[in-house]
Coordinates of all heavy atoms in Angstrom, one line a residue:
M192 N 28.5 18.0 29.8 CA 29.8 17.9 30.3 C 29.8 16.6 31.1 O 29.2 16.5 32.1 CB 30.1 19.1 31.1 CG 31.6 19.3 31.5 SD 31.8 20.7 32.5 CE 33.2 21.4 31.7
N193 N 30.7 15.6 30.7 CA 30.7 14.4 31.4 C 32.0 14.1 32.0 O 32.4 12.9 32.4 CB 30.3 13.3 30.5 CG 30.6 13.5 29.2 OD1 31.1 14.5 28.7 ND2 30.4 12.5 28.2
R194 N 32.8 15.0 32.3 CA 34.1 14.9 32.8 C 34.3 16.0 33.9 O 33.8 17.0 33.8 CB 35.3 14.7 32.0 CG 35.5 15.9 31.2 CD 36.5 15.6 30.1 NE 36.5 16.9 29.3 CZ 37.6 17.6 29.0 NH1 38.8 17.3 29.5 NH2 37.5 18.7 28.3
A195 N 35.2 15.7 34.8 CA 35.5 16.7 35.9 C 36.1 18.0 35.3 O 36.9 17.9 34.3 CB 36.4 16.2 36.9
P196 N 35.7 19.1 35.8 CA 36.3 20.4 35.3 C 37.8 20.5 35.6 O 38.3 19.9 36.5 CB 35.5 21.5 36.1 CG 35.0 20.7 37.2 CD 34.8 19.3 36.9
D197 N 38.5 21.2 34.7 CA 39.9 21.4 34.8 C 40.2 22.2 36.2 O 39.4 23.1 36.5 CB 40.3 22.3 33.7 CG 41.8 22.6 33.6 OD1 42.2 23.3 34.5 OD2 42.5 22.1 32.6
L198 N 41.3 21.9 36.8 CA 41.6 22.5 38.0 C 41.7 24.0 37.9 O 41.4 24.8 38.8 CB 42.9 21.9 38.6 CG 42.8 20.4 39.1 CD1 44.2 20.0 39.6 CD2 41.7 20.1 40.0
R199 N 42.2 24.5 36.8 CA 42.4 25.9 36.5 C 40.9 26.6 36.4 O 40.8 27.6 37.0 CB 43.1 26.1 35.2 CG 43.3 27.5 34.9 CD 44.0 27.7 33.4 NE 43.3 26.9 32.4 CZ 42.3 27.3 31.7 NH1 41.7 28.4 32.0 NH2 41.7 26.5 30.8
L200 N 40.0 26.0 35.8 CA 38.6 26.5 35.7 C 38.0 26.5 37.1 O 37.3 27.5 37.5 CB 37.8 25.7 34.8 CG 38.3 25.7 33.4 CD1 37.4 24.8 32.5 CD2 38.2 27.1 32.9
I201 N 38.2 25.6 38.0 CA 37.8 25.5 39.3 C 38.4 26.6 40.1 O 37.6 27.5 40.9 CB 38.1 24.2 40.1 CG1 37.4 23.1 39.3 CG2 37.8 24.3 41.5 CD1 37.8 21.6 39.8
A202 N 39.7 26.9 40.0 CA 40.3 28.0 40.6 C 39.8 29.4 40.2 O 39.5 30.3 41.0 CB 41.8 28.0 40.4
E203 N 39.5 29.5 38.9 CA 39.0 30.8 38.3 C 37.6 31.0 38.9 O 37.1 32.2 39.4 CB 38.9 30.8 36.9 CG 40.3 30.9 36.2 CD 40.3 30.7 34.8 OE1 39.3 30.5 34.2 OE2 41.4 30.7 34.1
T204 N 36.8 30.1 38.9 CA 35.4 30.1 39.4 C 35.4 30.4 41.0 O 34.7 31.3 41.4 CB 34.7 28.8 39.3 OG1 34.6 28.4 37.8 CG2 33.2 28.8 39.8
A205 N 36.2 29.8 41.8 CA 36.5 30.0 43.2 C 36.9 31.6 43.3 O 36.3 32.2 44.2 CB 37.4 29.1 43.8
A206 N 37.8 31.9 42.6 CA 38.4 33.4 42.7 C 37.3 34.4 42.4 O 37.1 35.4 43.1 CB 39.5 33.5 41.8
R207 N 36.4 34.1 41.3 CA 35.5 35.1 41.0 C 34.4 35.1 42.1 O 34.0 36.3 42.5 CB 34.7 34.6 39.6 CG 35.4 35.0 38.4 CD 34.5 35.0 37.3 NE 33.9 33.7 37.1 CZ 34.4 32.6 36.6 NH1 35.6 32.7 36.0 NH2 33.8 31.5 36.4
A208 N 34.0 34.0 42.7 CA 33.0 34.0 43.7 C 33.6 34.7 45.0 O 32.9 35.5 45.6 CB 32.7 32.5 44.1
A209 N 34.8 34.5 45.4 CA 35.4 35.0 46.5 C 35.5 36.5 46.4 O 35.3 37.2 47.3 CB 36.8 34.4 46.9
A210 N 36.0 37.0 45.2 CA 36.2 38.4 45.0 C 34.9 39.2 45.1 O 34.9 40.4 45.4 CB 36.9 38.6 43.6
G211 N 33.8 38.5 44.9 CA 32.6 39.2 45.0 C 32.0 39.4 46.3 O 30.9 40.0 46.5
V212 N 32.5 38.8 47.3 CA 32.1 38.9 48.7 C 32.5 40.2 49.3 O 33.6 40.7 49.2 CB 32.6 37.7 49.5 CG1 32.3 37.9 51.0 CG2 32.1 36.4 49.0
P213 N 31.5 41.0 49.9 CA 31.8 42.2 50.5 C 32.8 42.0 51.7 O 32.7 41.1 52.4 CB 30.5 42.7 51.0 CG 29.5 42.0 50.3 CD 30.1 40.7 49.9
G214 N 33.8 42.8 51.7 CA 34.9 42.8 52.8 C 36.2 42.2 52.3 O 37.3 42.2 52.9
V215 N 36.1 41.5 51.1 CA 37.4 40.9 50.5 C 38.2 42.0 49.9 O 37.7 42.7 48.9 CB 37.2 39.8 49.6 CG1 38.4 39.3 48.9 CG2 36.4 38.6 50.2
A216 N 39.4 42.3 50.3 CA 40.2 43.4 49.8 C 41.0 42.9 48.6 O 41.0 43.5 47.5 CB 41.1 43.9 50.8
Y217 N 41.7 41.8 48.8 CA 42.5 41.2 47.7 C 43.0 39.8 48.1 O 42.8 39.3 49.3 CB 43.8 42.0 47.4 CG 44.7 42.2 48.5 CD1 45.6 41.3 48.9 CD2 44.6 43.4 49.3 CE1 46.5 41.6 50.0 CE2 45.4 43.7 50.4 CZ 46.3 42.7 50.8 OH 47.2 43.0 51.8
F218 N 43.4 39.0 47.1 CA 44.0 37.7 47.4 C 45.4 37.9 47.8 O 46.1 38.6 47.2 CB 43.9 36.8 46.2 CG 42.5 36.5 45.7 CD1 41.9 37.0 44.6 CD2 41.7 35.8 46.6 CE1 40.6 36.8 44.3 CE2 40.3 35.5 46.3 CZ 39.8 36.0 45.0
S219 N 45.8 37.1 48.7 CA 47.3 37.1 49.2 C 48.0 36.0 48.6 O 47.7 34.8 48.8 CB 47.3 37.0 50.7 OG 46.5 37.9 51.3
P220 N 48.9 36.3 47.6 CA 49.7 35.3 47.0 C 50.6 34.5 48.1 O 51.0 35.1 49.0 CB 50.6 36.0 46.2 CG 50.2 37.4 46.1 CD 49.4 37.6 47.2
R221 N 50.7 33.2 47.9 CA 51.5 32.4 48.8 C 53.0 32.6 48.5 O 53.2 33.2 47.4 CB 51.1 30.9 48.6 CG 49.6 30.7 49.0 CD 49.0 29.3 48.6 NE 49.9 28.2 48.9 CZ 49.8 27.5 50.0 NH1 48.9 27.7 50.8 NH2 50.6 26.5 50.2
L222 N 53.9 32.1 49.2 CA 55.3 32.2 48.8 C 55.6 31.6 47.6 O 56.3 32.1 46.7 CB 56.1 31.6 50.0 CG 57.6 31.7 49.8 CD1 58.0 33.1 49.6 CD2 58.3 31.1 50.9
T223 N 55.0 30.4 47.3 CA 55.3 29.7 46.0 C 54.8 30.5 44.8 O 55.4 30.5 43.7 CB 54.6 28.3 46.0 OG1 53.2 28.4 46.3 CG2 55.2 27.4 47.0
D224 N 53.7 31.3 44.9 CA 53.2 32.1 44.0 C 54.2 33.3 43.6 O 54.3 33.6 42.6 CB 51.8 32.7 44.2 CG 50.7 31.7 44.4 OD1 50.7 30.7 43.7 OD2 49.8 31.9 45.2
R225 N 54.8 33.8 44.7 CA 55.7 34.9 44.6 C 57.1 34.4 43.9 O 57.7 35.2 43.1 CB 56.1 35.6 45.8 CG 54.7 36.2 46.4 CD 55.0 36.8 47.7 NE 53.7 37.4 48.2 CZ 53.7 38.1 49.3 NH1 54.8 38.5 49.9 NH2 52.4 38.6 49.7
L226 N 57.5 33.2 44.2 CA 58.7 32.6 43.6 C 58.6 32.2 42.2 O 59.6 32.1 41.5 CB 59.2 31.5 44.6 CG 59.7 31.9 46.0 CD1 60.0 30.6 46.8 CD2 60.6 32.9 46.0
R227 N 57.4 31.8 41.8 CA 57.1 31.2 40.5 C 57.3 32.5 39.5 O 56.6 33.5 39.8 CB 55.8 30.6 40.4 CG 55.5 29.8 39.3 CD 54.3 29.0 39.4 NE 54.6 27.9 40.2 CZ 53.7 27.5 41.3 NH1 52.8 28.3 41.7 NH2 54.0 26.5 42.1
P228 N 57.9 32.4 38.3 CA 58.0 33.4 37.4 C 56.6 33.7 36.9 O 55.8 32.7 36.7 CB 58.9 32.9 36.3 CG 59.0 31.5 36.5 CD 58.6 31.2 37.9
A229 N 56.2 35.0 36.7 CA 55.0 35.4 36.3 C 54.9 35.1 34.7 O 55.6 35.6 34.0 CB 54.7 36.9 36.5
R230 N 53.9 34.3 34.4 CA 53.5 34.0 33.1 C 52.0 34.2 32.8 O 51.3 33.6 33.4 CB 53.9 32.6 32.7 CG 55.4 32.3 32.7 CD 55.7 30.8 32.4 NE 55.0 30.0 33.4 CZ 54.7 28.7 33.2 NH1 55.0 28.1 32.2 NH2 54.1 28.1 34.2
P231 N 51.7 35.2 31.9 CA 50.3 35.4 31.8 C 49.5 34.3 31.3 O 48.4 34.0 31.6 CB 50.3 36.5 30.6 CG 51.7 36.9 30.4 CD 52.6 36.0 31.0
S232 N 50.1 33.3 30.6 CA 49.4 32.1 30.1 C 49.3 31.0 31.1 O 48.8 29.9 30.9 CB 50.1 31.5 28.8 OG 51.4 31.2 29.1
A233 N 49.9 31.2 32.3 CA 50.0 30.2 33.3 C 48.6 29.8 33.7 O 48.3 28.7 34.2 CB 50.8 30.5 34.4
G234 N 47.6 30.8 33.7 CA 46.2 30.5 34.2 C 46.1 30.3 35.7 O 45.2 29.7 36.2
R235 N 47.1 30.8 36.4 CA 47.1 30.7 37.9 C 46.5 31.9 38.5 O 46.6 33.0 38.1 CB 48.5 30.5 38.5 CG 49.0 29.2 37.9 CD 50.4 28.9 38.6 NE 50.4 29.0 40.0 CZ 50.0 28.0 40.8 NH1 49.7 26.8 40.4 NH2 50.0 28.2 42.1
T236 N 45.7 31.7 39.6 CA 45.3 32.8 40.3 C 46.0 32.9 41.7 O 45.8 32.1 42.6 CB 43.8 32.6 40.6 OG1 43.0 32.5 39.4 CG2 43.2 33.8 41.3
P237 N 46.9 33.8 41.9 CA 47.7 33.8 43.2 C 46.7 34.0 44.3 O 45.8 34.9 44.3 CB 48.5 35.1 43.0 CG 48.6 35.3 41.4 CD 47.4 34.8 41.0
G238 N 47.0 33.2 45.4 CA 46.1 33.3 46.5 C 45.0 32.2 46.5 O 44.3 32.0 47.5
V239 N 44.7 31.6 45.4 CA 43.8 30.6 45.2 C 44.5 29.2 44.7 O 45.2 29.3 43.8 CB 42.7 30.9 44.2 CG1 41.6 29.8 44.1 CG2 42.0 32.1 44.7
R240 N 44.3 28.2 45.5 CA 44.9 27.0 45.2 C 44.0 25.8 45.2 O 43.3 25.6 46.2 CB 46.1 26.7 46.1 CG 46.9 25.5 45.9 CD 48.1 25.4 46.9 NE 48.8 24.2 46.8 CZ 49.2 23.4 47.8 NH1 49.1 23.9 49.0 NH2 49.8 22.3 47.5
V241 N 43.9 25.0 44.1 CA 43.1 23.8 44.1 C 44.0 22.6 44.1 O 44.8 22.5 43.3 CB 42.2 23.8 42.8 CG1 41.4 22.6 42.7 CG2 41.3 25.1 42.7
V242 N 43.7 21.7 45.1 CA 44.6 20.5 45.4 C 43.7 19.3 45.2 O 42.9 19.1 46.0 CB 45.1 20.6 46.7 CG1 46.1 19.4 46.9 CG2 45.9 22.0 47.0
P243 N 43.9 18.5 44.1 CA 43.2 17.3 44.0 C 43.9 16.3 44.9 O 45.0 16.3 45.2 CB 43.5 16.8 42.6 CG 44.7 17.6 42.2 CD 44.8 18.8 42.9
R244 N 43.0 15.5 45.6 CA 43.6 14.6 46.6 C 43.7 13.2 46.0 O 43.2 13.0 44.8 CB 42.7 14.6 47.9 CG 42.8 15.8 48.7 CD 44.2 16.1 49.0 NE 44.3 17.3 49.8 CZ 45.5 17.9 50.0 NH1 46.6 17.4 49.5 NH2 45.5 19.1 50.5
D245 N 44.1 12.2 46.8 CA 44.3 10.9 46.2 C 43.2 10.2 45.7 O 43.1 9.5 44.7 CB 44.9 10.0 47.4 CG 46.3 10.5 47.9 OD1 46.9 11.1 47.2 OD2 46.5 10.2 49.1
T246 N 42.0 10.5 46.3 CA 40.7 9.8 45.8 C 40.2 10.7 44.7 O 40.3 11.9 44.8 CB 39.7 9.6 46.9 OG1 39.3 10.8 47.4 CG2 40.3 8.8 48.0
P247 N 39.5 10.2 43.7 CA 39.0 11.0 42.6 C 37.8 11.8 43.1 O 37.2 12.6 42.4 CB 38.5 10.0 41.5 CG 38.4 8.8 42.3 CD 39.3 8.7 43.4
H248 N 37.2 11.5 44.3 CA 36.1 12.2 44.9 C 36.3 13.2 45.9 O 35.5 13.5 46.7 CB 35.1 11.2 45.3 CG 34.7 10.2 44.3 ND1 34.0 10.5 43.1 CD2 34.9 8.8 44.1 CE1 33.9 9.4 42.4 NE2 34.4 8.4 43.0
R249 N 37.6 13.8 45.8 CA 37.9 14.8 46.9 C 38.7 15.9 46.4 O 39.7 15.6 45.6 CB 38.5 14.1 48.1 CG 38.9 15.2 49.1 CD 39.2 14.6 50.4 NE 39.6 15.7 51.3 CZ 40.5 15.5 52.2 NH1 41.1 14.4 52.5 NH2 40.8 16.6 53.0
T250 N 38.3 17.1 46.6 CA 39.2 18.2 46.0 C 39.2 19.3 47.2 O 38.3 19.5 47.8 CB 38.6 18.9 44.8 OG1 38.6 17.9 43.9 CG2 39.5 20.0 44.4
D251 N 40.4 19.8 47.5 CA 40.7 20.9 48.5 C 40.9 22.2 47.8 O 41.7 22.3 46.8 CB 41.7 20.6 49.4 CG 41.5 19.4 50.2 OD1 40.4 18.9 50.4 OD2 42.5 18.8 50.8
I252 N 40.2 23.2 48.2 CA 40.5 24.6 47.8 C 41.0 25.4 48.9 O 40.3 25.5 49.9 CB 39.2 25.1 47.0 CG1 38.7 24.3 46.0 CG2 39.4 26.6 46.6 CD1 37.3 24.7 45.4
E253 N 42.2 26.1 48.7 CA 42.7 26.9 49.6 C 42.8 28.4 49.1 O 43.3 28.6 48.0 CB 44.1 26.4 50.0 CG 44.2 25.0 50.5 CD 45.5 24.5 50.5 OE1 46.6 25.2 50.0 OE2 45.8 23.3 51.0
I254 N 42.2 29.3 50.0 CA 42.2 30.6 49.5 C 42.8 31.5 50.7 O 42.4 31.4 51.8 CB 40.7 31.2 49.2 CG1 40.1 30.2 48.2 CG2 40.7 32.6 48.9 CD1 38.6 30.5 47.9
S255 N 43.8 32.4 50.2 CA 44.4 33.2 51.1 C 44.0 34.7 50.7 O 44.1 35.0 49.6 CB 45.9 33.1 51.1 OG 46.3 31.9 51.5
L256 N 43.5 35.5 51.7 CA 42.9 36.8 51.3 C 43.1 37.8 52.4 O 43.4 37.4 53.6 CB 41.5 36.7 50.9 CG 40.5 36.0 51.8 CD1 40.0 37.0 52.8 CD2 39.3 35.5 51.0
A257 N 43.0 39.0 52.1 CA 43.0 40.1 53.0 C 41.5 40.7 53.2 O 40.8 40.7 52.2 CB 43.9 41.3 52.6
V258 N 41.3 41.1 54.4 CA 39.9 41.6 54.7 C 40.0 43.1 54.9 O 40.9 43.6 55.4 CB 39.3 40.9 55.9 CG1 38.0 41.5 56.3 CG2 39.2 39.4 55.7
R259 N 39.0 43.8 54.3 CA 38.9 45.2 54.5 C 38.5 45.6 56.0 O 37.8 44.9 56.5 CB 37.8 45.9 53.6 CG 38.1 45.7 52.2 CD 37.1 46.5 51.3 NE 37.3 46.3 49.9 CZ 38.2 46.9 49.1 NH1 39.1 47.7 49.7 NH2 38.4 46.5 47.9
G260 N 39.1 46.7 56.3 CA 38.8 47.3 57.7 C 37.4 47.5 57.9 O 36.7 47.8 56.9
G261 N 36.8 47.2 59.0 CA 35.3 47.4 59.3 C 34.5 46.2 59.1 O 33.3 46.2 59.2
H262 N 35.1 45.2 58.5 CA 34.5 43.8 58.3 C 35.0 42.9 59.4 O 36.2 42.9 59.6 CB 34.7 43.4 56.9 CG 34.0 44.2 55.9 ND1 32.8 44.0 55.4 CD2 34.4 45.3 55.2 CE1 32.4 44.9 54.5 NE2 33.4 45.7 54.4
Q263 N 34.2 41.9 59.7 CA 34.7 41.0 60.7 C 35.3 39.9 59.9 O 34.7 39.3 59.0 CB 33.5 40.4 61.5 CG 33.9 39.5 62.6 CD 32.7 39.1 63.4 OE1 31.6 38.9 62.8 NE2 33.0 38.6 64.6
A264 N 36.5 39.5 60.2 CA 37.3 38.5 59.5 C 36.6 37.1 59.4 O 36.5 36.4 58.3 CB 38.7 38.4 60.0
T265 N 36.0 36.7 60.5 CA 35.4 35.4 60.5 C 34.1 35.4 59.6 O 33.8 34.4 59.0 CB 35.0 35.0 61.9 OG1 34.3 36.0 62.6 CG2 36.3 34.7 62.7
A266 N 33.4 36.5 59.7 CA 32.2 36.6 58.8 C 32.5 36.6 57.4 O 31.9 35.9 56.6 CB 31.4 37.8 59.2
V267 N 33.6 37.3 57.0 CA 34.0 37.4 55.6 C 34.4 36.0 55.2 O 34.1 35.4 54.1 CB 35.0 38.5 55.4 CG1 35.7 38.3 54.0 CG2 34.5 39.9 55.7
A268 N 35.2 35.3 56.0 CA 35.7 33.9 55.7 C 34.5 33.0 55.5 O 34.5 32.2 54.6 CB 36.6 33.4 56.7
R269 N 33.6 33.1 56.4 CA 32.4 32.3 56.2 C 31.6 32.5 54.9 O 31.2 31.6 54.2 CB 31.5 32.4 57.4 CG 30.2 31.5 57.4 CD 29.2 32.0 58.5 NE 28.8 33.3 58.2 CZ 28.8 34.3 59.1 NH1 29.1 34.1 60.3 NH2 28.3 35.5 58.7
D270 N 31.5 33.8 54.7 CA 30.7 34.2 53.4 C 31.5 33.7 52.1 O 30.9 33.3 51.1 CB 30.5 35.7 53.4 CG 29.5 36.1 54.6 OD1 28.8 35.2 55.1 OD2 29.4 37.3 54.8
V271 N 32.8 33.8 52.2 CA 33.6 33.5 51.1 C 33.5 31.9 50.8 O 33.3 31.4 49.7 CB 35.1 33.8 51.2 CG1 36.0 33.1 50.3 CG2 35.3 35.3 51.1
R272 N 33.6 31.1 51.9 CA 33.3 29.6 51.8 C 32.1 29.4 51.1 O 31.9 28.5 50.3 CB 33.4 29.1 53.2 CG 34.7 28.4 53.6 CD 34.6 27.7 54.9 NE 34.6 26.2 54.7 CZ 33.5 25.5 55.1 NH1 32.5 25.9 55.6 NH2 33.5 24.3 54.7
L273 N 31.0 30.0 51.6 CA 29.6 29.7 51.1 C 29.5 30.2 49.6 O 29.0 29.4 48.8 CB 28.7 30.5 51.9 CG 27.1 30.2 51.5 CD1 26.8 28.8 51.7 CD2 26.2 31.1 52.5
A274 N 30.1 31.3 49.3 CA 30.1 31.8 47.9 C 30.8 30.8 47.0 O 30.4 30.6 45.9 CB 30.6 33.2 47.8
V275 N 31.9 30.3 47.5 CA 32.6 29.4 46.6 C 31.9 28.1 46.4 O 31.8 27.6 45.3 CB 34.0 29.2 47.2 CG1 34.8 28.0 46.5 CG2 34.9 30.5 47.1
F276 N 31.3 27.5 47.4 CA 30.5 26.3 47.3 C 29.4 26.5 46.3 O 29.2 25.7 45.5 CB 30.0 25.9 48.7 CG 30.9 25.0 49.5 CD1 31.2 25.5 50.8 CD2 31.4 23.9 49.1 CE1 32.0 24.8 51.6 CE2 32.3 23.1 49.9 CZ 32.5 23.6 51.1
E277 N 28.7 27.6 46.5 CA 27.5 27.9 45.7 C 27.9 28.1 44.2 O 27.3 27.6 43.3 CB 26.7 29.1 46.1 CG 26.0 28.9 47.4 CD 25.3 30.1 47.9 OE1 25.5 31.2 47.5 OE2 24.5 29.9 49.0
A278 N 29.0 28.8 44.0 CA 29.5 29.1 42.6 C 29.9 27.8 41.9 O 29.6 27.5 40.7 CB 30.7 30.1 42.6
L279 N 30.6 26.9 42.6 CA 31.1 25.6 42.0 C 29.9 24.7 41.8 O 29.8 24.1 40.7 CB 32.0 25.0 43.0 CG 33.4 25.7 43.1 CD1 34.3 25.0 44.1 CD2 34.1 25.6 41.7
H280 N 29.0 24.6 42.6 CA 27.8 23.7 42.4 C 26.9 24.4 41.3 O 26.3 23.6 40.5 CB 27.0 23.5 43.6 CG 27.7 22.6 44.6 ND1 27.8 21.3 44.4 CD2 28.3 22.9 45.7 CE1 28.4 20.8 45.4 NE2 28.8 21.7 46.3
A281 N 26.8 25.7 41.1 CA 26.0 26.3 40.0 C 26.7 26.1 38.7 O 26.2 25.9 37.7 CB 25.8 27.7 40.3
E282 N 28.1 26.2 38.7 CA 28.9 26.2 37.4 C 28.9 24.8 37.0 O 29.0 24.6 35.8 CB 30.3 26.8 37.7 CG 31.1 26.9 36.5 CD 30.7 28.1 35.6 OE1 30.0 29.1 36.2 OE2 31.1 28.2 34.4
Y283 N 29.1 23.8 37.9 CA 29.4 22.4 37.5 C 28.3 21.5 38.1 O 28.7 20.6 38.9 CB 30.8 22.0 37.8 CG 31.8 22.9 37.3 CD1 32.5 23.8 38.2 CD2 32.1 23.0 36.0 CE1 33.5 24.6 37.8 CE2 33.1 23.8 35.5 CZ 33.8 24.6 36.4 OH 34.7 25.5 36.0
P284 N 27.1 21.6 37.9 CA 26.1 20.9 38.7 C 26.1 19.4 38.3 O 25.8 18.6 39.3 CB 24.7 21.4 38.1 CG 25.1 22.0 36.7 CD 26.4 22.5 36.8
R285 N 26.6 19.0 37.2 CA 26.4 17.5 36.9 C 27.8 16.8 37.3 O 27.7 15.6 37.6 CB 26.1 17.2 35.4 CG 24.8 17.7 35.0 CD 24.4 17.6 33.6 NE 24.3 16.2 33.3 CZ 24.6 15.6 32.2 NH1 25.0 16.3 31.2 NH2 24.5 14.4 32.0
V286 N 28.9 17.5 37.3 CA 30.0 16.9 37.5 C 30.6 17.1 38.9 O 31.6 16.5 39.3 CB 31.1 17.2 36.5 CG1 30.7 16.7 35.1 CG2 31.4 18.7 36.5
W287 N 30.1 18.1 39.6 CA 30.7 18.4 40.9 C 30.1 17.6 42.0 O 29.6 18.1 42.9 CB 30.6 19.9 41.1 CG 31.5 20.4 42.1 CD1 31.3 20.7 43.4 CD2 33.0 20.6 41.9 NE1 32.4 21.0 44.0 CE2 33.5 20.9 43.1 CE3 33.8 20.3 40.8 CZ2 34.8 21.2 43.4 CZ3 35.1 20.6 41.0 CH2 35.6 21.0 42.3
A288 N 30.2 16.3 41.9 CA 29.7 15.4 42.9 C 30.7 14.9 43.8 O 30.7 13.9 44.4 CB 28.9 14.3 42.2
T289 N 31.8 15.7 44.0 CA 33.0 15.2 44.9 C 32.8 16.0 46.2 O 32.2 16.9 46.3 CB 34.3 15.6 44.2 OG1 34.4 17.1 44.2 CG2 34.3 15.0 42.9
E290 N 33.6 15.4 47.2 CA 33.7 16.1 48.5 C 34.7 17.3 48.3 O 35.8 17.1 47.9 CB 34.3 15.1 49.5 CG 34.5 15.8 50.8 CD 35.1 14.8 51.9 OE1 35.2 13.7 51.4 OE2 35.8 15.3 52.8
V291 N 34.2 18.4 48.6 CA 35.0 19.7 48.4 C 35.2 20.3 49.8 O 34.3 20.4 50.6 CB 34.2 20.7 47.5 CG1 35.1 22.0 47.4 CG2 33.8 20.2 46.3
T292 N 36.5 20.5 50.0 CA 36.9 21.2 51.2 C 37.4 22.7 50.8 O 38.3 22.7 50.0 CB 38.0 20.5 51.9 OG1 37.6 19.2 52.2 CG2 38.3 21.2 53.2
V293 N 36.8 23.7 51.4 CA 37.3 25.0 51.2 C 37.9 25.6 52.4 O 37.1 25.7 53.5 CB 36.1 25.9 50.7 CG1 36.5 27.4 50.4 CG2 35.5 25.3 49.3
S294 N 39.1 26.0 52.4 CA 39.7 26.7 53.6 C 40.1 28.0 53.2 O 40.6 28.3 52.2 CB 41.0 25.8 54.1 OG 41.9 25.8 53.2
I295 N 39.8 29.0 54.1 CA 40.1 30.4 54.0 C 41.2 30.7 55.1 O 41.0 30.5 56.2 CB 38.8 31.2 54.1 CG1 37.7 30.6 53.4 CG2 39.2 32.6 53.8 CD1 37.9 30.6 51.9
T296 N 42.2 31.3 54.6 CA 43.2 32.0 55.4 C 43.2 33.6 55.3 O 43.3 34.0 54.2 CB 44.7 31.5 55.2 OG1 44.6 30.0 55.2 CG2 45.6 32.0 56.1
V297 N 42.9 34.2 56.4 CA 42.9 35.7 56.4 C 44.3 36.1 56.7 O 44.8 35.9 57.9 CB 41.8 36.2 57.3 CG1 42.0 37.7 57.4 CG2 40.4 35.8 56.9
T298 N 44.9 36.7 55.8 CA 46.4 37.1 56.0 C 46.6 38.5 56.5 O 47.6 38.8 57.0 CB 47.2 36.9 54.7 OG1 46.6 37.7 53.7 CG2 47.1 35.5 54.2
A299 N 45.6 39.4 56.3 CA 45.7 40.8 56.7 C 44.3 41.4 56.8 O 43.3 41.0 56.2 CB 46.5 41.6 55.7
I300 N 44.3 42.5 57.7 CA 43.0 43.3 57.7 C 43.6 44.6 57.2 O 44.5 45.3 57.9 CB 42.4 43.4 59.0 CG1 41.9 41.9 59.4 CG2 41.2 44.4 59.0 CD1 41.4 41.7 60.7
V301 N 43.0 45.3 56.2 CA 43.6 46.5 55.5 C 42.6 47.6 55.6 O 41.3 47.3 55.6 CB 44.2 46.3 54.2 CG1 45.4 45.4 54.3 CG2 43.1 45.8 53.3

């Protein structure tokens, strides 16, 4: 693979990694996800957003999620960040040489 992965594939990889972290209850859709008509072929993961920045060597990933009761929100957020970084570097080892920022927003504890 000699080109950067599609943003949709990055979002799917990040979502799979985040969903596998103990304490993650569900992804919290943003307002824009709720207002956008649901289309199965859209390939969007509500609650996970990948934002390419001006430079070709920087990408921001924003994840909004709810944490299960009995889990510390900051620990879950830290573990999700680490899991996303590891999954992206494992999935795209040759092309993922960009600066990646992963931000986690905990929207609820359920």
